[in-house]
Amino acid sequence: GTARPGAMENVEPNAFVAAIQEALCERGRVEDDLVKQADATSIAAVMECEEVHDHLVTVLPAAFEAADPAHKASLVEAVALALVRKLDDGTLAEAPAKKCLETIGLELGALSTSHLAAILEAVLERLQSTLRAANGGPHALELLPKCLNLLATVERCDVALGDGSSAADGAAIVAYALKAILATAWPAGCMLGLAMSLRELEVPKGQLQPLVGKMLRRLADVEISQLPALTYQLLLLGDADGKTKVLRALNAHFDEMLAACQSAAAKDELVPTRLDPDHLGHVQGAVVLHIQLAVKQDQALGLGLLRLLKSGQLRLGPFALSLLLSLARIKRFEEPTVSAIVSLVRSDLQLASHCALSPWVASFAALATACPPAKPDALLLGAVRASAAGGWDHLVPSLVALAAALLDSPPP
């Protein structure tokens, strides 16, 4: 018959692991009756046995289902902590790791605040190594948003935190966790995965802006091929002010890369692979398309972009021009965007004319602006060449509309 819950509570965990191994050796499977006899320590010990890893997909659900309700929370916590350790040392294969995360995720909602806080602390303690090891497979970071979303709903508690302080409610625990994430040294290659995890947090976006700001400061370290996906995630994470900061940071980053590429070409130097003109143009086009998608979902972002340009906070460079031309493909923004480009082109042509006529104006303009005046003719021709080469062919209709508007515009 089925053993009563807790029947093996006095049996050494090693004895239970040995019984599991014997069952696998003799019958090739683990019976539910055997699992139902185990306590939390024994089930956690099984997590350390590599021979049993492939069978965790059946062992854990059976153990949770048969657990004594009075001890189930301790069992889930013990298994979760063991899983975090195994994911951290990389000894758990992808398939069982994924299933274990799913199984534990289903049980988190029934845990108390203290149990959730213990799991959270385990994830935060190993956050840096988790981020370094994250390569697209299952990792302990997946437990972070699930725990924090549950903890955020706690109205009153008294939980000791890892920094020695105590939390009186769930909001304090969330603030503590976000502060710990911000203080962690992030490898640049992990930022996309981290941004995707942060998106699952059900907290006010204002609390996430310091994290968005830190990611923007690390853009130069990010593998260029990750920029399109990271751009989209950052725009979704940002609040109204954060989104404009993302656009400004991307504009400055692409301007720097394009300037470095042109400088190396002018000096006949070897251009770094990440700055290869064709590759850079392809990535720039992909980033622009991701921003266009974000604008379609949040039209306030498009209005914010136009405000940045009209106020002079966003320099009209190759990236900004391609971004504007892409924005003009959206019906609502076509007329104001084309008008904004025409206005900027006229202003830059007028400034260039004044600078050519007066050395004093030229020196004053150089001092008054953070970067040299743009050359609109070169920018427009560059955009046309890129579209003709097939890199930004989706911008052709906007270029045609812009050309017509420029023809209708009186000389500056």
Side-chain angles (χ1 to χ4, degrees):
T2 301
R4 63 181 175 83
M8 290 188 66
E9 287 184 356
N10 295 321
V11 177
E12 286 291 326
N14 288 341
F16 176 71
V17 173
I20 293 285
Q21 290 174 312
E22 182 180 352
L24 289 174
C25 181
E26 293 180 356
R27 296 178 290 280
R29 61 188 178 85
V30 179
E31 294 86 352
D32 287 354
D33 285 354
L34 179 59
V35 175
K36 292 173 182 177
Q37 300 178 48
D39 62 359
T41 305
S42 298
I43 294 295
V46 170
M47 301 283 293
E48 304 294 333
C49 181
E50 292 190 20
E51 295 176 23
V52 187
H53 283 178
D54 288 341
H55 299 271
L56 290 175
V57 295
T58 56
V59 169
L60 293 186
F64 291 154
E65 183 179 353
D68 183 345
H71 302 107
K72 184 175 181 179
S74 297
L75 171 60
V76 175
E77 179 189 333
V79 171
L81 296 180
L83 178 60
V84 170
R85 291 194 297 271
K86 298 308 292 180
L87 291 172
D88 186 50
D89 62 29
T91 56
L92 191 60
E94 181 173 341
K98 190 173 183 180
K99 183 62 179 178
C100 287
L101 283 168
E102 292 176 358
T103 302
I104 291 175
L106 295 174
E107 303 291 339
L108 292 178
L111 299 188
S112 68
T113 302
S114 59
H115 289 302
L116 288 170
I119 298 172
L120 174 66
E121 287 286 4
V123 175
L124 292 176
E125 182 181 343
R126 295 169 173 80
L127 183 59
Q128 186 169 356
S129 57
T130 296
L131 291 174
R132 292 188 181 281
N135 56 1
H139 47 77
L141 194 62
E142 294 181 28
L143 294 174
L144 184 68
K146 295 177 181 178
C147 288
L148 283 178
N149 287 340
L150 291 168
L151 288 167
T153 64
V154 176
E155 295 182 359
R156 295 182 63 184
C157 64
D158 184 13
V159 175
L161 301 176
D163 60 359
S165 64
S166 61
D169 55 28
I173 300 177
V174 171
Y176 159 76
L178 294 178
K179 182 179 178 181
I181 297 171
L182 184 64
T184 302
W186 304 340
C190 79
M191 292 205 305
L192 177 58
L194 179 58
M196 294 175 69
S197 293
L198 291 174
R199 266 194 62 208
E200 296 181 32
L201 293 179
E202 297 169 2
V203 300
K205 286 189 175 181
Q207 293 184 250
L208 302 177
Q209 298 322 294
L211 297 167
V212 173
K214 182 175 179 178
M215 291 185 182
L216 293 178
R217 293 191 292 273
R218 297 288 308 280
L219 280 181
D221 302 324
V222 176
E223 170 60 38
I224 189 171
S225 61
Q226 290 190 353
L227 281 176
L230 180 60
T231 294
Y232 186 66
Q233 296 300 324
L234 290 176
L235 288 173
L236 293 177
L237 281 174
D239 57 13
D241 185 52
K243 286 178 169 61
T244 59
K245 290 179 179 178
V246 171
L247 295 176
R248 292 173 63 184
L250 285 169
N251 188 51
H253 183 48
F254 272 101
D255 278 0
E256 288 173 5
M257 288 193 293
L258 289 167
C261 181
Q262 292 169 359
S263 176
K267 297 176 182 177
D268 201 23
E269 296 176 348
L270 184 64
V271 178
T273 303
R274 71 188 305 269
L275 297 180
D276 174 73
D278 292 337
H279 183 49
L280 191 57
H282 174 75
V283 172
Q284 181 175 333
V287 168
V288 165
L289 283 175
H290 278 72
I291 296 175
Q292 183 192 67
L293 176 60
V295 171
K296 289 178 179 178
Q297 296 174 343
D298 178 14
Q299 297 199 353
L301 175 61
L303 297 174
L305 172 58
L306 290 176
R307 281 195 296 270
L308 283 177
L309 287 159
K310 291 176 181 178
S311 64
Q313 298 181 61
L314 198 67
R315 176 178 177 265
L316 183 62
F319 178 79
L321 178 59
S322 63
L323 186 53
L324 283 170
L325 292 171
S326 180
L327 186 64
R329 294 299 313 277
I330 302 173
K331 187 69 175 176
R332 175 183 176 182
F333 293 102
E334 181 178 3
E335 190 278 329
T337 301
V338 170
S339 297
I341 299 176
V342 170
S343 178
L344 289 169
V345 168
R346 285 174 53 83
S347 297
D348 287 336
L349 286 173
Q350 194 168 23
L351 178 59
S353 176
H354 290 325
C355 290
L357 293 174
S358 171
W360 179 84
V361 172
S363 61
F364 180 79
L367 291 173
T369 56
C371 49
K375 297 180 179 179
D377 50 347
L379 289 177
L380 294 171
L381 288 174
V384 171
R385 281 195 297 269
S387 65
W392 302 339
D393 54 336
H394 60 287
L395 302 183
V396 172
S398 297
L399 283 168
V400 173
L402 175 60
L406 288 170
L407 286 173
D408 291 338
S409 176

